[in-house]
């Protein structure tokens, strides 16, 4: 009986630990976050990248198209070519709303270290975070098509 109780207790504790590790984290875009080694995934559209610039070293992988439609399976297939579910990633959009939805989706689908960039590019620019211009040949930004 003691072994059964111990086994059930361990299962519950490990489940709680996995649940806690699989929650979305929230942080504004700061120089410290940029230099932390987290991989940035910019889910905005190419038009938005051109308007505001991008985080140096980010991966541009649009989730929501301009008409608000999306293909989650295609997004996941492309994303998994560049990151694994256990890597630290930060999802960024214009204001943090779309990235919040995508961050939650990724956690639900097995990604374990996801940060939603709170306030997105808008708050980052207001805080003076330096973005680099987007061009199709910008080697410091990978746009996935």
């Amino acid at each position: 009986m003691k072994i059964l109780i111990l086994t059930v207790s361990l299962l519950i504790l490990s489940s709680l630990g996995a649940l806690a590790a699989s929650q979305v984290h929230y942080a504004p875009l700061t120089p410290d976050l940029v230099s932390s080694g987290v991989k940035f995934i910019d889910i905005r559209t190419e038009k938005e990248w051109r308007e505001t610039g991008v985080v140096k070293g980010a991966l541009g992988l649009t989730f929501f198209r301009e008409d608000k439609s999306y293909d989650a399976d295609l997004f996941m297939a492309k994303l998994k070519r560049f990151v694994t579910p256990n890597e630290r990633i930060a999802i960024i959009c214009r204001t943090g709303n779309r990235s919040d939805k995508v961050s939650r989706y990724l956690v639900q689908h097995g990604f374990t270290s996801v940060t939603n960039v709170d306030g997105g590019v808008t708050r980052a620019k207001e805080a003076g975070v330096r973005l680099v211009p987007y061009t199709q040949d910008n080697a410091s930004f990978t746009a996935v098509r």
Side-chain angles (χ1 to χ4, degrees):
M1 185 65 164
K2 288 180 183 180
I3 293 175
L4 178 62
I5 292 172
L6 179 61
T7 303
V8 170
S9 298
L10 288 174
L11 286 172
I12 290 171
L13 287 175
S14 66
S15 297
L16 291 175
L19 180 62
S22 296
Q23 293 180 350
V24 175
H25 304 281
Y26 295 86
L29 182 62
T30 62
D32 287 343
L33 184 60
V34 171
S35 65
S36 72
V38 67
K39 289 187 177 180
F40 284 89
I41 313 298
D42 191 327
I43 64 162
R44 298 176 299 150
T45 64
E46 186 171 352
K47 178 182 175 187
E48 291 174 295
W49 300 333
R50 288 183 195 285
E51 290 171 355
T52 63
V54 295
V55 174
K56 184 176 181 177
L59 174 68
L61 183 53
T62 299
F63 189 91
F64 295 99
R65 299 178 193 108
E66 287 188 31
D67 68 359
K68 311 249 187 296
S69 67
Y70 61 91
D71 183 337
D73 292 334
L74 179 61
F75 175 84
M76 289 295 277
K78 289 180 178 181
L79 179 65
K80 287 182 177 180
R81 290 181 7 220
F82 295 91
V83 298
T84 65
N86 294 323
E87 286 185 80
R88 289 179 49 224
I89 59 174
I91 309 300
I92 189 168
C93 69
R94 184 172 46 88
T95 63
N97 291 326
R98 288 174 289 172
S99 59
D100 186 43
K101 290 177 177 86
V102 172
S103 295
R104 291 172 187 276
Y105 177 82
L106 292 173
V107 166
Q108 290 172 353
H109 287 84
F111 282 76
T112 59
S113 184
V114 180
T115 298
N116 176 42
V117 177
D118 198 22
V121 170
T122 301
R123 183 178 295 164
K125 288 185 73 151
E126 291 169 356
V129 175
R130 188 174 172 329
L131 301 175
V132 297
Y134 168 75
T135 62
Q136 287 187 343
D137 57 346
N138 184 341
S140 71
F141 181 79
T142 304
V144 179
R145 303 203 194 296

